Amino acid sequence: MLRNFKFIFDHPNNTPMEETKEQLQKQIDQLNAQLTGDMFADMDIKDQIHNLKMKLNGVKPMDSKIDCVGCGS
């Protein structure tokens, strides 16, 4: 079911880069495995996880007037 969904994000070379929900979830799982339990050491990893989850769920900030994800996630 999830295999049918693809997300296209701008690649730095201006070529589309596709990520499926499975690929996003795999990245989240890999980052979760890197968590140490130290809040300060994990801060950047948790931010990456949050951004990936926003992409995965198609979430944008509530006050965003942009139809795409407004925070760069």
Side-chain angles (χ1 to χ4, degrees):
M1 178 166 115
L2 296 176
R3 292 182 201 126
N4 296 331
F5 292 97
K6 289 189 179 181
F7 299 87
I8 299 177
F9 302 99
D10 287 334
H11 190 270
N13 299 341
N14 292 329
T15 58
M17 183 174 70
E18 294 183 0
E19 290 183 290
T20 63
K21 284 196 172 200
E22 289 86 4
Q23 289 169 326
L24 290 171
Q25 187 60 55
K26 183 177 178 181
Q27 290 176 14
I28 292 168
D29 293 342
Q30 289 171 342
L31 289 169
N32 276 325
Q34 295 176 19
L35 294 173
T36 64
D38 178 355
M39 180 178 73
F40 294 106
D42 292 343
M43 199 176 323
D44 289 332
I45 295 172
K46 288 192 175 222
D47 186 48
Q48 291 175 24
I49 292 169
H50 171 72
N51 290 337
L52 288 169
K53 284 183 178 181
M54 288 183 71
K55 284 182 188 179
L56 183 67
N57 297 321
V59 176
K60 65 179 181 178
M62 289 191 319
D63 61 347
S64 176
K65 293 181 170 96
I66 303 170
D67 287 336
C68 63
V69 177
C71 70
S73 294

